[in-house]
Amino acid sequence: MKATSIVEFVRDTYKTDDFIPLHAPTFEGNEKAYVMETIESTFVSSVGKFVDDFERKIEAYTGTAKAVATVNGTAALHAALYMADVQKGDFVITQALTFVATCNALYHMGADPIFLDVSPMNLGLCPKAVDAFLEESAEVTDAGCLHKQTGRRIKAVVPMHTFGHPVELDELVAVCLKWNIALVEDAAESLGSFYKGKHTGTVGDFGAVSFNGNKIITTGGGGMVLCKTQELGMHTKHVTTTAKVAHPYEFFHDEPGFNYRMPNLNAALGCAQMEVIEQYLKQKRRLAERYADFFNGTDFKFVTEPEYAQSNYWLNAVICPDKESREEILVGTNSSGVMTRPIWQLMHRLPMFENTIRGDLSYSEFIEAHLINLPSTPVEIK
Ligand SMILES: Cc1ncc(COP(=O)(O)O)c(C=O)c1O
């Protein structure tokens, strides 16, 4: 398989000779009308009906007990880790194969990551790797799960649903229960992805979603914390909105808070985008099937959803047979105006995380060296 055939195939799919990005937003519904409504009402900022509407829409769609809108997905994850009581000096187990935001959020809690491998089934954190690491390195005590060598607490496990493909949540829940560790799902990429019928981000104690411009739906910038209970949700809303105690005019804040509020202007965009999410999901599934057919019978392996789950196919991906073909495709497609991208460099290669504890990362390293993301903007395929 050469870059030229991929370029031809993608151009035929999108029916254009123009530049084809990896994932572009589309606004063909009520976006303009709702955004104009916020401007005309002057409620463009941190209060307004669209923020509430958007939170309720996400609750209805995901089935979470309470959704709390935030200014972006990183802020949602930061708030979720705060609510999960991650503290300075704690360890948080996550995957080395992720976008840097996962690690930035825990770093800003004063925690350090422990990097473990991903599963070939879904490219997300492998429950067996987590359990094996804990068996070897941890003990459960009255003070929580402790890392034996350092005595530091292992407070949370943060799996990431890579490109929208759900991780093995039942198994991760069991590991977290066994070791008394919180489960916080980085569901930034997986709005519209379901694990055995449950929406990703709703199985753990908390989940964090992103509405960045490249995600399945966008608010320009935005995020959402999905909370397991009403009570946790109310508290999350409180701390993400400066922890102000409700009063018509007095200012009293009863704990340290964040200003992570999503502006009404952005929430308006989100409400309109939620009206068309089903259409995007259908189009993305059809697009993924088309890629799968295209690569079928070649030595390139198209990444498909695990059999137990329904993925949103946020970013399509293919595993190349070797590093040379990966390079040829990256250079050939990008120089022909069809955007493709390698996966992120593994987190322990970044200067701020290079001295962190890690387990065997063989499969993450293999994926890092072989995987390419393909254009994934939803498109009507006849
Ligand atoms: C895995 C992952 N986590 C977190 C984020 C952070 O989201 P945001 O860009 O909205 O801050 C993103 C996306 O950008 C992501 O892909």
Side-chain angles (χ1 to χ4, degrees):
M1 172 79 58
K2 290 282 175 210
T4 45
S5 351
I6 296 182
V7 168
E8 206 177 296
F9 173 77
V10 174
R11 289 211 173 281
D12 182 50
T13 304
Y14 282 95
K15 308 279 181 237
T16 178
D17 292 329
D18 295 342
F19 171 73
I20 299 175
L22 209 57
H23 205 297
T26 43
F27 305 114
E28 289 161 2
N30 287 318
E31 288 85 354
K32 268 191 197 158
Y34 293 172
V35 169
M36 278 309 291
E37 197 179 319
T38 68
I39 293 171
E40 278 159 11
S41 71
T42 75
F43 281 91
V44 292
S45 195
S46 47
V47 284
K49 74 165 197 161
F50 285 110
V51 177
D52 298 330
D53 283 358
F54 191 38
E55 288 178 342
R56 300 303 78 78
K57 275 188 159 65
I58 293 288
E59 282 163 9
Y61 182 72
T62 63
T64 190
K66 182 130 178 72
V68 177
T70 57
V71 73
N72 57 47
T74 312
L77 199 52
H78 192 205
L81 292 169
Y82 175 84
M83 288 300 302
D85 192 34
V86 171
Q87 292 182 13
K88 194 171 178 334
D90 284 344
F91 282 123
V92 172
I93 294 177
T94 190
Q95 53 203 68
L97 187 88
T98 187
F99 178 59
V100 70
T102 313
C103 299
N104 284 339
L106 66 92
Y107 174 87
H108 287 295
M109 289 306 306
D112 283 314
I114 291 176
F115 293 125
L116 299 180
D117 213 356
V118 293
S119 161
M121 220 188 303
N122 49 49
L123 308 183
L125 190 63
C126 173
K128 285 199 187 85
V130 178
D131 195 42
F133 173 84
L134 293 168
E135 281 291 350
E136 196 176 306
S137 320
E139 61 188 342
V140 180
T141 70
D142 289 346
C145 179
L146 299 186
H147 181 246
K148 285 193 273 195
Q149 211 183 343
T150 58
R152 288 166 64 183
R153 191 167 68 145
I154 302 175
K155 183 58 199 170
V157 169
V158 182
M160 196 277 277
H161 304 287
T162 307
F163 308 143
H165 303 307
V167 299
E168 294 154 90
L169 282 166
D170 282 347
E171 289 79 357
L172 281 168
V173 167
V175 172
C176 288
L177 280 175
K178 174 177 165 191
W179 292 95
N180 189 19
I181 302 178
L183 180 60
V184 176
E185 295 173 64
D186 184 342
E189 305 183 350
S190 63
L191 184 72
S193 297
F194 292 82
Y195 170 84
K196 297 185 183 172
K198 293 177 193 154
H199 196 280
T200 51
T202 66
V203 176
D205 302 285
F206 295 93
V209 179
S210 166
F211 307 110
N212 185 35
N214 64 351
K215 295 299 186 287
I216 182 158
I217 68 157
T218 187
T219 56
M224 194 74 75
V225 189
L226 309 182
C227 310
K228 194 133 193 92
T229 65
Q230 268 291 327
E231 202 185 350
L232 287 172
M234 299 301 281
H235 194 189
T236 305
K237 184 76 180 176
H238 187 62
V239 298
T240 54
T241 56
T242 74
K244 184 178 184 298
V245 176
H247 191 280
Y249 47 84
E250 290 291 353
F251 283 95
F252 183 70
H253 307 260
D254 59 0
E255 62 180 305
F258 302 99
N259 178 10
Y260 279 171
R261 295 172 293 197
M262 175 186 282
N264 201 38
L265 196 71
N266 300 75
L269 209 53
C271 286
Q273 291 260 286
M274 273 309 280
E275 291 170 358
V276 288
I277 190 169
E278 290 301 342
Q279 176 197 321
Y280 290 166
L281 284 166
K282 275 198 199 109
Q283 291 178 339
K284 287 173 80 62
R285 178 160 290 272
R286 178 76 195 90
L287 177 62
E289 283 164 4
R290 194 171 143 84
Y291 273 123
D293 288 346
F294 176 69
F295 287 109
N296 190 20
T298 73
D299 48 2
F300 286 72
K301 192 180 171 300
F302 182 70
V303 177
T304 53
E305 66 196 354
E307 45 89 23
Y308 54 74
Q310 206 181 345
S311 173
N312 66 1
Y313 281 99
W314 171 56
L315 268 195
N316 290 297
V318 69
I319 301 170
C320 304
D322 48 57
K323 289 183 192 172
E324 292 69 35
S325 55
R326 169 186 177 268
E327 203 51 31
E328 193 269 334
I329 287 167
L330 283 172
V331 173
T333 51
N334 283 294
S335 62
S336 305
V338 170
M339 188 174 173
T340 60
R341 212 177 55 179
I343 200 166
W344 320 281
Q345 289 188 33
L346 299 183
M347 290 300 107
H348 67 280
R349 303 200 199 287
L350 306 182
M352 58 285 196
F353 302 123
E354 65 189 1
N355 294 321
T356 48
I357 296 174
R358 54 185 179 267
D360 171 53
L361 297 174
S362 318
Y363 196 69
S364 305
E365 283 161 4
F366 170 78
I367 289 298
E368 181 190 36
H370 291 82
L371 187 139
I372 287 180
N373 285 122
L374 302 158
S376 302
T377 305
V379 59
E380 191 57 40
I381 296 170
K382 297 279 181 281

